[in-house]
Amino acid sequence: MSRLTSTQVCQHQSCGPSSSALRGTTWCTNTSSKEGSARQGTPAVPWLMPSLRSRPPWYAPAQRMPIRGYCGVPCTRGHSTRKLGSAWQAPAVSEEVDPAAVPNPAQVLRLLEAVARQRGRGPHLEAFFGCMYFAAMRPAEVIHLRIEQCHLPKTGWGMLNLSGGVVTSGKGWTDDGEVHEVHSLKRRAASATRPVPIPPQFVRMLRAHVNRFDVAPDGRLFRNQAGNYVDAAAYGITWARAREYALTRTERTSRLAKRPYDLRHAGISFWLYSGVDPAECARRAGQSIEVLFRHYAKFLDGLREQANRLIEQSMNEWQRVSQGDVPDG
């Protein structure tokens, strides 16, 4: 028997439509979806709508999944079939953050200094990139940041109360025909906010930024020369130049800090390394615990070692107590 092509299916009259009927038809390959027509038992393809009087054998009303009944079940009359949409599977992708791409605190400071030394938009973007590291913010959240969301005291820790992000969607995909669109926080309700404490070092950086550049008429901290939203291509060029200035030749040829988004990974991984509870890290980063453990599993190994040392230290102290000694502290 010759190998079947992607358009060759069983042409038996009782098993389904002929191959000519399949031409130009858009198949719904996600047959496991519970939404749309499949949920209501209505076929997603027009010719799969049988009449109430005569239903072909390949239609399975009890399952309410007519496409699965045709694509996922072999022909019962011995004819050759091909499971459309089920032969290809997406390749496995590692979701773990690569430690080789995450800069350490010293490297981050060198990169931020290299950004500030650049002419043009460089000084304006120093605090922009600082948001990604010190507050683990996503680029869209940094672009959306407004002065009323910032609590910047003269001393001590500050607070950023994040409420959304600006994404580039294109004029054909927005309601108002604009290129950019304001969204709520990722996977959060429209009115949800996320307070993120920021260290004194970054508070001083933001205060200096506001004093030097002021804010946009709508309160945004970061904008381009025309007063519009910061473009990803523009800050990407600035970041690439900073890597050239701040990193050694070996570091430049590696994956270290290849993207500005690596600053967010660096901030979260530093929190974990510092012993911050993973639940608090996930809350500040706007992630679930599940996502945090899945993406930062390699960094959590060091956290486990630190936890083991603390547990061992406590066990040794209580062992001394059982022997009549007074525990330290």
Side-chain angles (χ1 to χ4, degrees), residues 104-105 133-134 157 199 265-278 280-281 284 299-307 309-310:
N104 61 42
Y133 176 68
F134 291 104
W157 282 68
H265 296 321
I268 297 174
S269 62
F270 182 71
W271 293 345
L272 294 171
Y273 176 80
S274 301
V276 180
D277 182 73
E280 176 62 13
C281 289
R284 295 189 182 195
F299 298 94
L300 289 168
D301 291 339
L303 186 61
R304 295 189 188 99
E305 295 177 0
Q306 182 179 0
R309 289 195 298 269
L310 293 175

Side-chain angles (χ1 to χ4, degrees), residues 201-255:
Q201 177 183 3
F202 186 50
V203 172
R204 292 191 294 269
M205 183 184 294
L206 282 180
R207 287 177 61 91
H209 174 88
V210 174
N211 292 334
R212 180 175 180 179
F213 301 104
D214 204 357
V215 297
D218 61 355
R220 282 179 293 115
L221 268 65
F222 307 104
R223 59 200 184 278
N224 59 17
Q225 292 182 348
N228 299 322
Y229 292 118
V230 178
D231 186 68
Y235 69 71
I237 294 175
T238 303
W239 184 252
R241 291 173 179 170
R243 290 187 78 254
E244 292 293 325
Y245 299 153
L247 302 183
T248 65
R249 179 180 300 179
T250 302
E251 291 171 340
R252 290 196 302 269
T253 56
S254 68
R255 298 186 298 275

Side-chain angles (χ1 to χ4, degrees), residues 6-9 17-27 47 70 84:
S6 59
T7 58
Q8 288 176 322
V9 295
S18 62
S19 58
S20 61
L22 296 175
R23 297 191 183 100
T25 303
T26 301
W27 283 80
W47 52 261
Y70 183 72
L84 301 181

Side-chain angles (χ1 to χ4, degrees), residues 313-314 316-322 324-329:
Q313 179 181 353
S314 297
N316 291 336
E317 290 179 359
W318 283 106
Q319 185 176 5
R320 289 196 296 270
V321 170
S322 64
D325 296 333
V326 179
D328 297 336

